[in-house]
Amino acid sequence: MSFHDVRFPTAISRNAQGGPERRTDVVVLGSGYEERNSRWADSRRSYNAGYGVKSLDDLHQIIAFFEERRGRLHAFRWRDPMDWKSCAPNGSPSALDQTIGTGDGATAAFQLTKTYGSAFAPWTREIKKPVADTVKIAVAGLDLVAATDFAVDPSTGVVTFLEGHIPAAGQSISAGFEFDVPVRFDTDKLEISLSGFTSGAIPNIPIVEVRL
């Protein structure tokens, strides 16, 4: 699947509307009880970038970005204004934010993840598009040095420990980072009315997360 490693204009996505979606089947029985089944193991995010458009220059920027992506053809990076760090939005990422694995003395590669919830029913999300140079790693609570102790692939979110620095058995591996969501346009046609825009109408610019 084609992916352009470029981010949608952050100044526009900051004011977009959207969030995670789940797909659940609910069957109401004759007795009034319910049978519920989750069709997706992972949530999928969708947004409307139109809410972030505040000027004609914003529209011009989106049209150029849309054309370069060829509509729905090429995916790209998206900064979710509500969820783009390993910590809370107003915090600063720390190497102790998220536990991403436990060493066994042999495994060198670990996927960046973010866990939502606590002990009751936590959900772990794989982070495939971290922001380069923001990833911090700790092993057994001790911060490591990027490029000396480990390397990160910003296109996959995989952390690889370099020779001589592979975590020993039982050592906890944690990470802090900023990240983007891989998305695409959910339309091949932008319908924008200049008269409507100047009257306060919000253009519909749907964006949907893609699974990589």
Side-chain angles (χ1 to χ4, degrees):
M1 183 168 54
S2 178
F3 184 88
H4 288 179
D5 197 17
V6 60
R7 182 186 292 155
F8 186 90
T10 306
I12 299 174
S13 66
R14 185 180 297 117
N15 294 307
Q17 184 183 73
E21 175 188 0
R22 291 277 177 175
R23 192 63 60 85
T24 307
D25 291 329
V26 180
V27 178
V28 180
L29 306 178
S31 62
Y33 288 92
E34 293 181 346
E35 292 286 348
R36 295 186 296 275
N37 178 62
S38 179
R39 294 171 59 187
W40 292 351
D42 299 318
S43 60
R44 190 183 192 193
R45 284 151 175 76
S46 60
Y47 311 89
N48 186 349
Y51 286 86
V53 176
K54 304 300 180 184
S55 68
L56 292 179
D57 286 348
D58 288 346
L59 281 176
H60 180 267
Q61 195 173 7
I62 284 180
I63 291 171
F65 194 90
F66 176 87
E67 292 285 20
E68 192 172 9
R69 306 288 86 74
R70 309 298 193 270
R72 295 187 295 175
L73 183 60
H74 301 294
F76 51 91
R77 287 176 177 260
W78 171 273
R79 167 67 58 84
D80 185 332
M82 284 75 71
D83 187 8
W84 57 282
K85 296 179 181 178
S86 56
C87 56
N90 289 327
S92 297
S94 158
L96 303 178
D97 285 344
Q98 303 290 328
T99 299
I100 63 171
T102 302
D104 59 9
T107 302
F110 294 83
Q111 178 70 52
L112 287 176
T113 59
K114 182 176 180 179
T115 300
Y116 297 76
S118 54
F120 186 73
W123 172 64
T124 300
R125 173 188 185 186
E126 290 189 346
I127 302 301
K128 298 292 186 68
K129 297 297 177 184
V131 177
D133 301 325
T134 70
V135 179
K136 302 177 181 180
I137 299 295
V139 173
L142 300 177
D143 287 12
L144 301 186
V145 179
T148 299
D149 301 327
F150 68 92
V152 181
D153 186 343
S155 67
T156 64
V158 173
V159 177
T160 302
F161 291 93
L162 304 182
E163 186 176 355
H165 300 281
I166 295 176
Q171 288 187 319
S172 176
I173 304 161
S174 57
F177 45 82
E178 296 178 5
F179 65 95
D180 294 319
V181 182
V183 301
R184 62 168 171 79
F185 286 101
D186 199 22
T187 181
D188 277 324
K189 180 181 181 181
L190 290 184
E191 293 188 278
I192 300 172
S193 167
L194 183 59
S195 60
F197 178 73
T198 56
S199 300
I202 297 173
N204 182 41
I205 307 172
I207 305 288
V208 65
E209 182 178 5
V210 297
R211 304 195 192 281
L212 301 176

